[in-house]
Amino acid sequence: MASPAKISIDKSTTQADAAWVFGYGSLIWRPDIPYVDKARAVINGFSRRFWQGSHDHRGVPEQPGRVVTLTPSQDTCVGMAYLVPMEAVQATFEKLDYREKNGYARHQQILTLCRDDDTHAVEGLVYIATADNFAYLGEAEPDVIARQILRSHGPSGSNLDYLLQLADALRALDADDPHVFELEYRVRHLMGEG
């Protein structure tokens, strides 16, 4: 499968066309960006995985947390798409570039917006941390990931909160994500709730 094509926003212009942004992690429940429209959305050819290290939000350099990235697969990933208005595009992407600075890069992808019985495709931007970035942790046994999530905490809060918020947000979207839900089950079991 071909890797996603990287694109950039022209920094020399003060305005650009409105842009769809696809969120599949914390952007689902905490977009913290201006938008004029939003929709449940699907991106094909990717799976959501807790394989990216977080040294700056849900962990610290000496004890990184784990957050999600997208990995190429035959699956689809459900998330939220937000339409950023024309006048806010440049400032929004500067803010998102900073928020996602720990190994993520912007990529252009086709998103399928899903509203009631209507679906249609649009071009959108998504932040993906590929395996060649400095903070990539990669695959590990679910119990290893669960234990790392339980013990990690950073400036944006606990890694556990990130996982639980994501699981709740996916349920609200009626999205089935076995990887996320298995990790949620395992951390709850480790905490004595399961």
Side-chain angles (χ1 to χ4, degrees), residues 14-143:
T14 57
Q15 293 188 347
D17 291 335
W20 284 100
V21 178
F22 180 71
Y24 58 91
S26 61
L27 282 175
I28 296 175
W29 77 86
R30 189 177 56 87
D32 194 27
I33 58 173
Y35 59 89
V36 293
D37 194 7
K38 69 178 182 175
R40 183 182 191 271
V42 174
I43 187 170
N44 293 315
F46 290 95
S47 296
R48 179 182 6 246
R49 293 290 182 262
F50 271 85
W51 292 359
Q52 176 66 6
S54 178
H55 302 82
D56 61 341
H57 285 297
R58 300 296 177 159
V60 293
E62 53 280 357
Q63 188 171 316
R66 278 188 178 256
V67 290
V68 291
T69 187
L70 295 179
T71 61
S73 74
Q74 299 300 313
D75 295 329
T76 60
C77 179
V78 176
M80 285 296 294
Y82 303 93
L83 183 61
V84 178
M86 178 173 43
E87 65 275 8
V89 167
Q90 183 172 344
T92 297
F93 282 105
E94 287 173 0
K95 180 177 183 174
L96 287 173
D97 286 348
Y98 182 79
R99 175 173 167 165
E100 306 297 339
K101 69 185 183 297
N102 200 66
Y104 291 84
R106 282 187 253 159
H107 298 269
Q108 186 173 9
Q109 291 292 314
I110 300 299
L111 312 176
T112 302
L113 305 182
C114 309
R115 299 172 200 232
D116 299 322
D117 293 330
D118 177 50
T119 62
H120 67 278
V122 297
E123 282 193 340
L125 292 172
V126 59
Y127 284 82
I128 300 174
T130 57
D132 58 355
N133 83 82
F134 70 95
Y136 192 78
L137 297 175
E139 188 173 5
E141 291 296 321
D143 279 336

